[in-house]
Amino acid sequence: MKEYKYKINGNTYNVTIGDIENDIAQVEVNGIPYKVELEASKKPVTIVKTPRPAAAPRTETGEKVISKPAATGGAGSQIKAPLPGTVLSIPVKVGDEVKAADTVLVLEAMKMENAIHAGRDGKVTSISVNPGDAVLEGATLLTIG
């Protein structure tokens, strides 16, 4: 029970609020009991469902799949990840001829899709990642010879 003291127009009122059931409150004012009907507010309830982020991919042993920057070496031009992210798609395959402006990989980083371009004309000689792989900044994505 909650007790309150109110002063209205110089008169003091001792108000005690008891149980509230089905919008009916048991109220006592200066020792006199009252049943007070509360006005039920009918507000529409809006349920917002936010999409949950996908879990990071894992290997069969449960370890996270993360491609680390590889040591430089080998022939050809290596296309490296400009920022950490997840590989969404690889629209080329080994042996494809590409132009400098062609998109060779789509990387998701900070909830944005980033198109990674070849940067030079040539042939795709190797692909170091798979769709779904998490990569760090500087990781080798593919090589163009």
Side-chain angles (χ1 to χ4, degrees):
M1 293 179 105
K2 294 186 179 184
E3 294 183 22
Y4 301 94
K5 284 191 176 189
Y6 295 104
K7 193 168 196 176
I8 303 172
N9 293 333
N11 297 324
T12 301
Y13 297 94
N14 292 320
V15 179
T16 305
I17 300 175
D19 295 332
I20 301 174
E21 293 181 23
N22 298 325
D23 297 328
I24 303 289
Q26 302 295 328
V27 179
E28 192 174 293
V29 180
N30 290 342
I32 302 171
Y34 295 96
K35 288 186 179 182
V36 178
E37 186 175 341
L38 303 174
E39 183 176 311
S41 60
K42 304 278 184 183
K43 292 183 182 177
V45 177
T46 304
I47 298 173
V48 178
K49 284 193 169 193
T50 56
R52 292 181 169 230
R58 297 188 181 265
T59 63
E60 291 178 9
T61 61
E63 295 177 21
K64 292 182 179 178
V65 177
I66 297 180
S67 295
K68 296 186 178 169
T72 57
S77 173
Q78 294 181 338
I79 307 300
K80 297 185 178 282
L83 64 167
T86 304
V87 177
L88 289 182
S89 66
I90 306 170
V92 296
K93 57 185 177 293
V94 174
D96 285 356
E97 291 286 334
V98 293
K99 299 287 184 194
D102 290 349
T103 298
V104 293
L105 189 133
V106 178
L107 184 70
E108 178 185 17
M110 298 181 285
K111 298 187 180 181
M112 301 264 311
E113 290 185 12
N114 300 283
I116 309 299
H117 301 286
R120 61 175 274 203
D121 294 352
K123 182 187 275 190
V124 177
T125 57
S126 70
I127 298 175
S128 306
V129 293
N130 295 307
D133 287 356
V135 295
L136 299 175
E137 181 177 356
T140 300
L141 304 173
L142 52 94
T143 305
I144 297 176

